[in-house]
Amino acid sequence: MIEEDNQKKIINRLRRTEGQLRGVQKMIDDQKECIDIITQLSAVRSSIDRTMGIIVAENLQNCLENPSNNVDEQSKKLQEAIQMIIKK
């Protein structure tokens, strides 16, 4: 579960990313240079990666601060958080 403060930050970050994507679409429509489009797409990817990092970090923090009474369940949650980091 994402804290309300972080939820707002994530939503704002995603809205900025959405704006960047619309900008890329416009660049393509306007037939801008390939390198410029790729640069903007790279910025979009970085923004999404940062957003994913925030979400995974909060999930991991939540697992550590609010451990499950079930050791196996806690271990599974931590392993899932680590896998999300590794997949990135």
Side-chain angles (χ1 to χ4, degrees):
M1 185 167 220
I2 299 172
E3 286 184 18
E4 189 175 335
D5 187 44
N6 278 340
Q7 184 178 2
K8 289 178 183 178
K9 289 177 184 176
I10 290 167
I11 294 297
N12 286 336
R13 183 178 292 274
L14 289 172
R15 285 185 177 136
R16 281 193 304 271
T17 304
E18 182 182 19
Q20 287 176 300
L21 272 175
R22 281 193 303 269
V24 170
Q25 292 170 344
K26 185 172 180 352
M27 290 174 76
I28 292 170
D29 285 342
D30 295 344
Q31 298 183 350
K32 297 291 183 183
E33 293 293 323
C34 179
I35 189 71
D36 296 330
I37 294 169
I38 296 302
T39 299
Q40 289 305 310
L41 284 172
S42 179
V44 169
R45 180 173 44 198
S46 293
S47 179
I48 290 171
D49 286 345
R50 282 191 302 270
T51 304
M52 289 172 59
I54 292 168
I55 293 169
V56 170
E58 180 152 333
N59 179 50
L60 187 55
Q61 183 177 357
N62 186 39
C63 284
L64 295 173
E65 290 177 350
N66 305 302
S68 172
N69 292 332
N70 181 326
V71 175
D72 290 334
E73 184 181 328
Q74 179 67 13
S75 178
K76 182 181 175 186
K77 285 182 179 180
L78 288 171
Q79 202 60 4
E80 287 173 352
I82 291 168
Q83 286 302 313
M84 285 189 275
I85 294 168
I86 292 172
K87 284 183 181 179
K88 184 183 181 253

